[in-house]
Amino acid sequence: MPLCTITTNLPDEKLSDTFLKETSALIAKLLDKDEKHVQVTLFCNVRTISSGSLEPCMTFYLSSFTRFRPGDNNRKYGDEIGKFLAEKTGLPDSSIDVGFPPQ
């Protein structure tokens, strides 16, 4: 079951339920999983500093057992997810961190 956690200092009203649904659909597509097995949790209004700046930023963690291993398609997934997040939030790429915690 892919589990996604998004943490941001953006206000809640900036990221609608549509954003959650689109994020879930993207993860299902990228990982070739049925969306009913995808979980996305969003934390907004989190006091965050990134790279020494209090400017708006976002951290995106995605875990899925046996999916993310060194040498796999992590870079491809990260690039596609980062592009999606920048497009949907208006944040610059440099303010978005995408990670795949080791299993």
Side-chain angles (χ1 to χ4, degrees), residues 2 6 12 20 24 27 34-35 46 53 57 61 67 74 86 94:
I6 303 170
D12 187 59
L20 283 173
S24 178
I27 292 167
D34 190 321
E35 192 174 355
V46 177
S53 172
C57 60
Y61 283 114
R67 177 60 72 157
N74 296 2
S94 60

Side-chain angles (χ1 to χ4, degrees), residues 2-8 11-29 35-44 58-62 81 84-85 88-89:
L3 303 173
C4 173
T5 304
I6 303 170
T7 307
T8 183
D12 187 59
E13 57 272 4
K14 286 282 231 177
L15 301 171
S16 67
D17 287 346
T18 301
F19 171 77
L20 283 173
K21 291 177 184 176
E22 290 174 343
T23 302
S24 178
L26 174 70
I27 292 167
K29 178 183 162 204
E35 192 174 355
K36 71 180 180 181
H37 298 297
V38 176
Q39 178 178 330
V40 179
T41 304
L42 175 63
F43 297 99
C44 293
M58 177 176 284
T59 302
F60 178 104
Y61 283 114
L62 178 59
I81 292 166
F84 167 84
L85 294 172
K88 297 297 178 181
T89 65

Side-chain angles (χ1 to χ4, degrees), residues 59-103:
T59 302
F60 178 104
Y61 283 114
L62 178 59
S63 64
S64 183
F65 292 112
T66 71
R67 177 60 72 157
F68 304 112
R69 295 181 299 265
D72 281 352
N73 290 318
N74 296 2
R75 179 176 212 121
K76 175 187 158 222
Y77 296 136
D79 289 348
E80 288 192 47
I81 292 166
K83 181 180 174 184
F84 167 84
L85 294 172
E87 178 184 305
K88 297 297 178 181
T89 65
L91 292 172
D93 292 342
S94 60
S95 296
I96 299 171
D97 294 315
V98 177
F100 307 101
Q103 300 299 317

Side-chain angles (χ1 to χ4, degrees), residues 46-60:
V46 177
R47 293 179 56 173
T48 307
I49 187 167
S50 180
S51 301
S53 172
L54 295 170
E55 291 298 312
C57 60
M58 177 176 284
T59 302
F60 178 104

